[in-house]
Amino acid sequence: MNRRIFLGAALAAASAPAVARSQRRQLDQPRVLSFHHLHTDERLTLTYRQGDHYQRSSLMRLNQFFRDFRTNEVTTIDPKLYDLLFDVKQALGHEDAVFEIVSGYRSPKTNAMLRRTSSGVAKRSLHMSGKALDVRLGDMPTHHIRDIAVRLSRGGVGYYSRSDFVHLDTGNVRQWGA
């Protein structure tokens, strides 16, 4: 084995524990999200996950926050949506991001009403199963959110430039909109 390969292997082996500790510390950090619901004017900032553990009380508060504001019905929101939002926030380098919520959970009744009154509302919308959110960041162009979410490739990404929001869901990987 030549000296350069040996030194490179030795350096890699020596630094591996430090890199692993650094990555572990990063995973143990609290995952905090902030929201502003545009229809109810409610605001919420909380730690939804600590390390590998979702915080049950936080998830319950988030379920209530993302309720169908028209009917006041609540469902369980997929925690993977929060992980996606957190990763979008991290990728944007926007630690203080406040996600503006355009739409969270939609009851079947609300979804049917929206289908009758506007185009682009899916009959089997993932909003009805707590697996979709429509969001934007007030101080950042929505196409940045779209671009990051597409790169993360963890569900559906719809871009609605005229209405200025991005649809994110935890369904199959797909994208639509300009």
Coordinates of all heavy atoms in Angstrom, one line a residue, residues 5 12 39 55 67 71 73 88 92 95 98 105 109 111 115 128 130 141 145 150 159 174:
I5 N -2.2 6.5 0.1 CA -3.5 5.8 0.4 C -3.5 5.4 1.9 O -4.6 5.6 2.5 CB -3.5 4.5 -0.5 CG1 -3.7 4.9 -2.0 CG2 -4.7 3.6 -0.1 CD1 -3.6 3.7 -2.9
A12 N -9.3 9.1 7.4 CA -10.7 8.8 7.3 C -11.2 8.1 8.5 O -12.2 8.3 9.1 CB -11.1 8.1 6.0
H39 N -56.3 32.1 7.4 CA -57.8 32.2 7.6 C -58.2 32.4 9.0 O -59.3 33.0 9.2 CB -58.4 30.9 7.0 CG -58.2 30.8 5.5 ND1 -58.7 31.5 4.6 CD2 -57.3 29.9 4.9 CE1 -58.3 31.2 3.4 NE2 -57.4 30.2 3.5
Q55 N -43.2 14.7 19.4 CA -43.8 15.1 20.7 C -45.3 15.0 20.6 O -46.0 15.8 19.9 CB -43.3 16.6 21.0 CG -41.8 16.7 21.0 CD -41.2 15.8 22.1 OE1 -41.4 15.9 23.2 NE2 -40.3 14.9 21.6
R67 N -56.9 22.2 11.5 CA -58.2 21.8 11.4 C -58.9 22.4 10.1 O -58.4 23.4 9.6 CB -59.1 22.1 12.6 CG -59.3 23.6 12.8 CD -59.9 23.9 14.2 NE -60.0 25.3 14.3 CZ -59.1 26.2 14.7 NH1 -57.9 25.8 14.8 NH2 -59.4 27.5 14.8
T71 N -65.4 24.0 9.0 CA -66.3 23.1 9.7 C -65.8 22.8 11.1 O -66.5 22.2 11.9 CB -66.4 21.7 9.0 OG1 -65.1 21.1 9.1 CG2 -66.9 21.9 7.6
E73 N -63.7 20.7 11.9 CA -63.3 19.3 12.1 C -61.8 19.1 12.1 O -61.1 19.9 11.5 CB -63.9 18.5 10.9 CG -65.4 18.4 10.9 CD -65.9 17.6 9.7 OE1 -65.5 16.4 9.5 OE2 -66.7 18.2 8.9
V88 N -37.3 21.7 4.3 CA -37.4 22.8 3.4 C -36.8 24.1 4.1 O -36.0 24.8 3.5 CB -38.8 23.1 3.0 CG1 -39.0 24.5 2.3 CG2 -39.3 22.0 2.0
L92 N -33.4 26.1 2.9 CA -33.5 27.5 2.5 C -32.6 28.3 3.4 O -32.4 29.5 3.1 CB -34.9 28.0 2.6 CG -35.9 27.5 1.6 CD1 -37.3 27.8 2.0 CD2 -35.6 28.0 0.2
E95 N -33.8 29.8 9.3 CA -34.1 29.3 10.7 C -35.4 29.9 11.3 O -36.1 29.2 12.0 CB -32.9 29.5 11.6 CG -31.8 28.6 11.3 CD -32.1 27.1 11.5 OE1 -32.7 26.8 12.4 OE2 -31.7 26.4 10.6
V98 N -41.5 31.4 9.1 CA -42.9 31.3 9.6 C -43.7 30.9 8.3 O -43.9 31.7 7.4 CB -43.5 32.6 10.2 CG1 -44.9 32.4 10.6 CG2 -42.6 33.0 11.4
Y105 N -56.1 20.6 6.7 CA -57.0 19.6 6.6 C -58.3 20.2 5.9 O -58.7 21.3 6.2 CB -57.4 19.0 7.9 CG -58.6 18.1 7.9 CD1 -58.5 16.9 7.2 CD2 -59.8 18.4 8.6 CE1 -59.6 16.0 7.1 CE2 -60.9 17.5 8.5 CZ -60.8 16.4 7.8 OH -61.9 15.5 7.7
K109 N -66.8 17.4 3.1 CA -67.8 18.4 2.8 C -67.1 19.6 2.2 O -67.6 20.2 1.2 CB -68.6 18.7 4.1 CG -69.6 19.8 3.9 CD -70.4 20.0 5.2 CE -71.4 21.1 5.0 NZ -72.1 21.4 6.3
N111 N -64.1 19.9 0.9 CA -63.5 19.5 -0.4 C -64.5 19.5 -1.5 O -64.3 20.1 -2.6 CB -62.8 18.2 -0.3 CG -61.7 18.1 -1.4 OD1 -60.7 18.8 -1.3 ND2 -61.9 17.2 -2.3
R115 N -64.6 22.0 -4.8 CA -64.6 21.4 -6.1 C -65.7 22.1 -7.0 O -65.5 22.3 -8.2 CB -64.8 19.9 -6.1 CG -63.5 19.1 -5.8 CD -63.7 17.6 -5.9 NE -64.4 17.1 -7.1 CZ -63.8 16.9 -8.2 NH1 -62.5 17.3 -8.4 NH2 -64.4 16.4 -9.3
M128 N -57.8 15.8 2.5 CA -58.9 15.1 3.3 C -58.3 14.0 4.2 O -59.0 13.6 5.1 CB -59.9 14.5 2.3 CG -60.7 15.6 1.6 SD -62.1 14.9 0.7 CE -61.4 13.7 -0.4
G130 N -55.2 14.3 5.7 CA -54.2 14.9 6.6 C -52.8 14.8 6.0 O -51.8 14.7 6.8
P141 N -39.9 34.2 -2.1 CA -40.7 33.8 -3.3 C -41.1 32.3 -3.2 O -40.3 31.5 -2.8 CB -39.8 34.0 -4.5 CG -38.8 35.1 -4.0 CD -38.7 34.8 -2.5
I145 N -39.5 27.6 -2.4 CA -40.1 26.5 -1.7 C -40.3 25.3 -2.6 O -39.9 24.2 -2.3 CB -41.4 26.8 -1.0 CG1 -41.2 28.0 0.0 CG2 -42.0 25.6 -0.3 CD1 -42.5 28.5 0.6
V150 N -39.1 19.9 -4.6 CA -38.9 19.0 -5.7 C -37.6 18.3 -5.6 O -37.5 17.1 -5.8 CB -39.0 19.8 -7.1 CG1 -38.4 19.0 -8.2 CG2 -40.4 20.3 -7.3
Y159 N -47.3 23.8 -7.7 CA -46.9 25.3 -7.6 C -48.0 26.1 -8.2 O -48.4 25.9 -9.4 CB -45.6 25.5 -8.4 CG -45.1 26.9 -8.5 CD1 -44.8 27.6 -7.3 CD2 -44.8 27.5 -9.7 CE1 -44.4 28.9 -7.3 CE2 -44.3 28.8 -9.7 CZ -44.1 29.5 -8.5 OH -43.6 30.8 -8.6
R174 N -44.4 13.5 -7.2 CA -44.9 14.0 -8.5 C -44.9 15.5 -8.4 O -44.7 16.1 -7.3 CB -46.3 13.5 -8.8 CG -47.4 14.0 -7.8 CD -48.5 13.0 -7.6 NE -49.5 13.5 -6.8 CZ -49.4 13.7 -5.5 NH1 -48.3 13.4 -4.9 NH2 -50.4 14.2 -4.8

